[in-house]
Amino acid sequence: MNKGIFVFIEQREGTIQKVAFELLGKANELAETTNSQVTAILLGHEIASQGEHLIHAGADEVLYVDSQDYQHYVTEYYTQALTAVIKEHEPEIFLFGATAIGRDLAPRVSARIHTGLTADCTKLEIDEETGLLFMTRPAFGGNIMATIICPEFRPQMATVRPGVMQVLTLDESRQGNIKKFYFQLIKEKNKIEIIDIVHESKHKINIEDAKILISGGRGVGSKENFNKLYDLADVLDAEVSSSRAVVDAGWQDRQRQVGQTGKTVRPNLYFACGISGAIQHVAGMEDSDLIIAINKNSESPIFEVADVGIVGDLNVILPKLTEALKVKLNEK
Amino acid sequence: MDFTLSKEHQLLRKLFRSFTEEEVKPLAEEVDEEERYPIETVEKMAKYGFMGIPFPKEYGGEGGDNLGYTIAVEELSRYCGTTGVILSAHTSLCASPIYEFGSEEQKQKYLVPLAKGEKIGAFALTEPNAGTDAAAQQTTAVLEGDHYIINGSKIFITNGGYADYYIVMAMTDKSAGTRGISAFIIEKEFEGFRIGKKEKKMGIRGSATCELVFENCKVPKENIIGKEGKGFKVAMKTLDGGRIGIAAQALGIAQGALDETVHYVKERKQFGRPISKFQNTQFELADMKTKVEAARLLVYQAAVAKDRREPYSHFAAMAKLYAAEVAMEVTTKAVQLHGGYGYTREYPVERMMRDAKITEIYEGTSEVQKMVISAHLLK
Ligand SMILES: Cc1cc2nc3c(=O)[nH]c(=O)nc-3n(C[C@H](O)[C@H](O)[C@H](O)COP(=O)(O)OP(=O)(O)OC[C@H]3O[C@@H](n4cnc5c(N)ncnc54)[C@H](O)[C@@H]3O)c2cc1C
Ligand SMILES: Cc1cc2nc3c(=O)[nH]c(=O)nc-3n(C[C@H](O)[C@H](O)[C@H](O)COP(=O)(O)OP(=O)(O)OC[C@H]3O[C@@H](n4cnc5c(N)ncnc54)[C@H](O)[C@@H]3O)c2cc1C
């Protein structure tokens, strides 16, 4: 019998992060092929009551540590707890979300356990022949997909990119054990003291990290008209970026400029609204996964790089698109 | 064949030189530091008739020739590359095409004030996607009634913002390729025309280099130069002439750097004697001087060929190619011979080195000049 698949449940201020549910979904699927169990590892303060929810989301068992020391993420404390969990239970597989916390925690745990870790995986599957976990991740800026195995050491560890795996539908009839995990925390080893946790206002501009960018060019016409882009961005949970012409006109902050002398972006979706597509702009966005161009001039060079091209007035199209998307997303 | 300048040209050179020493030299450093357009110098140049040297008196010009104009750009550039290119863009790139290709009405309306220096001119061909490949124009001009409606943008336009009149290329017929390009005279005040971003540059920092934006810009039908579809020819011929101006600018920069260096090496002492006593210094200076003289003959040859109405595109290309390379080389050596001081902004040679580089790039890169020269050679 396989020794099980463990999932690190990331919580922030007591709220379980979405990526944890995605990992439970994936773990559940892997457990089916290997005929094993899914264990959720929950660390936090006054958090045990949330264990049930994890069972409904796909865990067979929850191990929790409930203590003041675990209220916030502290690398050393978390590492000690997970190392102890692994030593005691010897799982086959251990999954983390590839978040800032997961990326900090997983390598420390793997080094202390002395096992392999694959970072930022986008695909996980069990190889039928060997029973090994095939961990696939994009390498070299996404140009190569590498599939990595960890044949000898255990557990096989991976951090998994958030948003890639499917969340299971909650099943309230599921039953499972929720157990406290006991171990001896050695506080002296900690070298980090949290002085303050600052919540940055959501509007710190970081267009490079946005999954969706609504980008406006001179064709937007005015600073006020950019509101139409922000409206769409709100609906899609996207950021707004721009061409240099817009920055020069003072309609946008320089931080939002895409292009050779601005930022290079490669979001999943790039809306080019009223952007002609000068090479200095295109060089900064042509690697976006999907490019949708809205321009009233059908001869604009932007259409050469666009996957979807709409010839028309963005002042008319954007509000309609925003409305339609609102309706569609509400249906969901 | 005669390698001495005529009396007239010698007098002209004296005039330009004293103007440069009195008016241009004192401002050169400030204009560079502050990236400031030397508008007061331009006004004085207008007063002295520098803005219309090669045009006939009946069109407001001085009735001079291209050699005289070339010497003017050379002399101005000896101390200030910025002032040199302002005059060159105005004369060669804006007034000239109106003189060569414009109708009588256009000459009266536009050439006369340009040549008198009452108005300043600029030339707009380059676009974000059309630099060396100038035929890849995306700016469009559509005839609607009495007006052409122009849409698009231009970048890197010398005298942008300060110029009153702009020669602008736009596509009137996309399907016709280079034969679909037309040239227009556009006034600063025309509806739908706006000056965009001013570039921050390595050199010639006082010369305003700007983006031009046309948003449904209304241009009267009669402002087209020549016929529809003739714009590319106008542009190419204009650049042939403009290249003599840039060659003269490069020549002037090189000469200026050489003068500074000769002066400096006689004063600076190391190992108990002036550095001019070291043979390396002497040989470097000999090379610099020889190259500058060779460049000068090429530049003057091109100007004289144009004055004689002989084919001169290849001469202009060779002059620009060589003079620009010489300017780059001579200014670099000038900095070297100045030692650490040459690298500081207390001495003018570092500015000259920065100014020199652009002459290898604008009005056709050195590579383009080689295409023109080899095409002439192999035709
Ligand atoms: C040194 C240098 C560096 C540069 N670096 C960058 C850079 O990093 N990033 C960058 O973006 N640019 C850069 N540029 C500028 C670049 O060359 C272009 O000038 C710029 O990208 C043009 O911006 P745009 O597409 O917004 O404007 P435009 O080229 O003016 O295009 C506007 C477009 O909007 C369309 N339009 C107008 N009204 C409407 C409407 N109502 N509905 C729909 N469409 C409409 C028009 O058809 C047109 O295609 C640089 C330029 C230089 C000289
Ligand atoms: C300060 C300044 C002032 C200017 N003033 C004006 C002005 O007043 N009006 C105006 O219209 N323009 C003006 N320009 C634009 C200038 O003429 C262009 O920058 C120049 O022609 C080069 O075009 P590009 O910058 O697009 O370079 P590119 O065409 O992108 O060239 C990049 C490099 O590739 C090389 N290259 C390109 N094609 C070929 C080829 N087929 N074979 C070999 N090599 C090739 C070039 O030689 C160059 O080395 C100005 C530019 C500057 C920087």
Side-chain angles (χ1 to χ4, degrees):
Chain A
M1 158 90 184
N2 196 307
K3 287 182 177 142
I5 302 171
F6 280 35
V7 173
F8 170 68
I9 304 300
E10 181 175 329
Q11 54 86 11
R12 294 190 187 187
E13 300 184 336
T15 308
I16 292 175
Q17 302 296 297
K18 183 157 179 269
V19 65
F21 296 110
E22 293 168 6
L23 293 182
L24 286 175
K26 185 70 198 177
N28 215 270
E29 180 195 314
L30 295 175
E32 244 160 60
T33 32
T34 56
N35 187 23
S36 57
Q37 288 221 325
V38 177
T39 304
I41 313 298
L42 179 61
L43 312 177
H45 181 49
E46 290 173 354
I47 193 136
S49 60
Q50 298 200 38
E52 194 109 9
H53 195 53
L54 297 173
I55 302 277
H56 297 161
D60 299 302
E61 181 186 46
V62 177
L63 289 179
Y64 69 87
V65 173
D66 199 333
S67 135
Q68 184 87 52
D69 299 325
Y70 284 86
Q71 180 166 15
H72 298 300
Y73 174 71
V74 179
T75 306
E76 181 59 34
Y77 294 170
Y78 274 55
T79 306
Q80 285 190 29
L82 293 192
T83 312
V85 164
I86 293 170
K87 286 200 169 138
E88 188 173 323
H89 294 272
E90 301 183 340
E92 254 318 277
I93 293 174
F94 209 122
L95 304 179
F96 298 78
T99 60
I101 290 178
R103 287 177 200 217
D104 181 61
L105 180 59
R108 296 184 200 253
V109 174
S110 76
R112 287 194 196 175
I113 297 293
H114 192 74
T115 187
L117 168 71
T118 305
D120 216 13
C121 297
T122 51
K123 195 169 144 194
L124 295 173
E125 53 192 358
I126 303 289
D127 178 45
E128 278 178 24
E129 232 163 83
T130 56
L132 289 173
L133 181 64
F134 275 25
M135 301 173 274
T136 304
R137 59 155 307 181
F140 298 102
N143 293 320
I144 290 179
M145 295 304 282
T147 300
I148 296 164
I149 54 170
C150 175
E152 309 206 338
F153 296 96
R154 290 295 176 272
Q156 307 165 75
M157 284 181 43
T159 68
V160 179
R161 195 176 278 194
V164 179
M165 306 301 173
Q166 292 290 326
V167 177
L168 293 182
T169 38
L170 286 185
D171 177 357
E172 305 211 342
S173 67
R174 277 181 68 107
Q175 304 277 319
N177 266 333
I178 301 178
K179 287 194 295 197
K180 189 161 182 159
F181 178 71
Y182 293 96
F183 81 105
Q184 190 59 47
L185 178 67
I186 307 167
K187 283 202 178 180
E188 298 71 54
K189 281 197 172 178
N190 184 30
K191 296 198 176 64
I192 289 167
E193 184 193 350
I194 294 181
I195 296 164
D196 195 6
I197 293 177
V198 183
H199 292 270
E200 251 175 343
S201 74
K202 200 178 160 237
H203 264 102
K204 169 153 194 281
I205 313 157
N206 203 350
I207 59 169
E208 284 136 308
D209 288 347
K211 297 250 182 310
I212 304 180
L213 280 174
I214 318 292
S215 208
R218 186 147 43 208
V220 172
S222 69
K223 193 170 180 168
E224 293 68 47
N225 276 355
F226 259 87
N227 288 334
K228 299 195 174 86
L229 278 75
Y230 281 107
D231 290 346
L232 178 59
D234 272 351
V235 173
L236 291 175
D237 199 14
E239 253 320 335
V240 171
S241 58
S242 77
S243 71
R244 187 173 90 147
V246 162
V247 174
D248 296 342
W251 304 342
Q252 275 298 355
D253 192 277
R254 176 93 220 253
Q255 287 187 63
R256 294 192 194 266
Q257 181 185 323
V258 170
Q260 254 164 15
T261 55
K263 290 179 175 159
T264 302
V265 298
R266 44 183 316 161
N268 300 345
L269 178 55
Y270 189 91
F271 278 94
C273 313
I275 293 175
S276 62
I279 184 68
Q280 296 83 6
H281 183 82
V282 168
M285 47 65 82
E286 63 192 336
D287 286 335
S288 304
D289 293 342
L290 186 75
I291 298 169
I292 300 181
I294 305 175
N295 195 305
K296 65 179 184 187
N297 174 6
S298 62
E299 306 259 337
S300 281
I302 192 71
F303 290 120
E304 284 164 28
V305 296
D307 299 287
V308 179
I310 304 170
V311 178
D313 184 349
L314 64 91
N315 290 305
V316 178
I317 293 168
L318 280 181
K320 287 193 173 161
L321 184 63
T322 307
E323 275 319 303
L325 280 168
K326 254 189 208 159
V327 173
K328 259 277 179 268
L329 290 171
N330 276 341
E331 277 172 13
K332 267 201 172 172
Chain B
M1 185 175 285
D2 183 359
F3 287 106
T4 49
L5 288 180
S6 67
K7 265 255 145 48
E8 209 188 330
H9 286 115
Q10 287 179 32
L11 279 173
L12 274 177
R13 183 189 293 284
K14 243 174 123 175
L15 166 71
F16 299 137
R17 184 163 301 176
S18 66
F19 178 84
T20 303
E21 271 159 15
E22 278 160 39
E23 306 288 348
V24 179
K25 185 174 167 180
L27 280 181
E29 188 184 332
E30 175 188 326
V31 157
D32 175 68
E33 284 278 341
E34 296 175 8
E35 302 194 41
R36 184 172 76 74
Y37 194 84
I39 187 74
E40 64 271 54
T41 311
V42 176
E43 280 164 4
K44 282 179 196 139
M45 289 202 292
K47 210 169 88 191
Y48 290 116
F50 290 7
M51 306 301 274
I53 297 165
F55 307 110
K57 291 215 157 83
E58 70 230 60
Y59 292 123
E62 292 301 306
D65 57 9
N66 282 291
L67 183 58
Y69 153 68
T70 300
I71 294 170
V73 177
E74 177 192 349
E75 288 298 327
L76 292 171
S77 305
R78 257 170 109 139
Y79 240 90
C80 179
T82 285
T83 312
V85 75
I86 292 173
L87 179 62
S88 179
H90 167 89
T91 311
S92 286
L93 297 185
C94 186
S96 247
I98 299 175
Y99 175 56
E100 306 256 352
F101 304 100
S103 64
E104 191 51 38
E105 295 78 59
Q106 287 170 342
K107 287 181 195 169
Q108 290 304 335
K109 185 165 178 196
Y110 294 112
L111 178 58
V112 170
L114 283 169
K116 285 185 176 163
E118 293 161 2
K119 301 283 180 187
I120 298 173
F123 172 83
L125 171 67
T126 305
E127 297 184 1
N129 291 350
T132 300
D133 184 8
Q137 297 279 310
Q138 272 154 3
T139 299
T140 55
V142 179
L143 186 60
E144 280 178 18
D146 287 348
H147 287 82
Y148 281 95
I149 306 296
I150 303 208
N151 274 294
S153 63
K154 298 283 170 181
I155 52 167
F156 293 140
I157 306 310
T158 301
N159 288 346
Y162 290 90
D164 305 278
Y165 302 149
Y166 297 79
I167 306 292
V168 177
M169 305 298 148
M171 277 281 182
T172 38
D173 179 3
K174 276 229 153 158
S175 60
T178 53
R179 291 201 180 81
I181 298 172
S182 303
F184 299 90
I185 306 170
I186 293 187
E187 297 179 30
K188 193 178 186 177
E189 273 76 34
F190 281 177
E191 189 187 320
F193 172 35
R194 180 158 72 70
I195 308 296
K197 164 112 175 165
K198 181 178 157 200
E199 300 304 335
K200 296 191 181 125
K201 306 188 297 294
M202 176 205 268
I204 56 160
R205 301 193 345 161
S207 153
T209 308
C210 293
E211 182 191 27
L212 310 182
V213 184
F214 304 95
E215 281 161 326
N216 294 324
C217 174
K218 274 179 81 174
V219 179
K221 199 166 81 177
E222 59 274 15
N223 276 31
I224 190 167
I225 300 179
K227 288 204 185 72
E228 257 193 30
K230 293 284 178 217
F232 198 66
K233 204 178 136 217
V234 171
M236 290 303 117
K237 292 269 178 225
T238 300
L239 288 176
D240 281 344
R243 281 168 192 158
I244 303 177
I246 301 309
Q249 185 201 18
L251 172 62
I253 294 172
Q255 181 68 57
L258 178 58
D259 295 344
E260 283 298 314
T261 310
V262 168
H263 177 73
Y264 185 81
V265 295
K266 288 196 214 153
E267 284 179 348
R268 172 71 174 166
K269 287 199 177 82
Q270 286 293 284
F271 299 96
R273 47 190 175 152
I275 53 175
S276 59
K277 298 287 182 209
F278 301 124
Q279 198 174 44
N280 178 63
T281 309
Q282 296 163 357
F283 282 8
E284 289 289 19
L285 287 174
D287 276 345
M288 288 156 81
K289 172 72 177 162
T290 308
K291 285 181 177 166
V292 169
E293 285 305 325
R296 179 168 289 117
L297 291 179
L298 273 174
V299 176
Y300 290 2
Q301 170 180 248
V304 170
K306 183 165 198 269
D307 281 330
R308 291 188 181 151
R309 305 217 150 250
E310 287 163 12
Y312 71 95
S313 344
H314 58 299
F315 286 137
M318 286 189 276
K320 175 170 183 293
L321 170 66
Y322 189 69
E325 281 179 355
V326 167
M328 202 57 227
E329 198 182 319
V330 166
T331 53
T332 309
K333 288 196 167 153
V335 171
Q336 186 68 20
L337 291 176
H338 275 69
Y341 302 89
Y343 196 67
T344 69
R345 302 222 291 254
E346 293 282 309
Y347 293 81
V349 285
E350 64 81 32
R351 169 167 50 82
M352 293 168 171
M353 182 175 163
R354 285 187 283 110
D355 287 353
K357 184 63 209 176
I358 188 59
T359 63
E360 293 186 320
I361 297 172
Y362 61 10
E363 296 195 28
T365 60
S366 290
E367 292 75 17
V368 167
Q369 310 313 324
K370 291 181 196 177
M371 291 183 210
V372 173
I373 298 161
S374 57
H376 178 81
L377 198 58
L378 299 171
K379 87 178 164 202

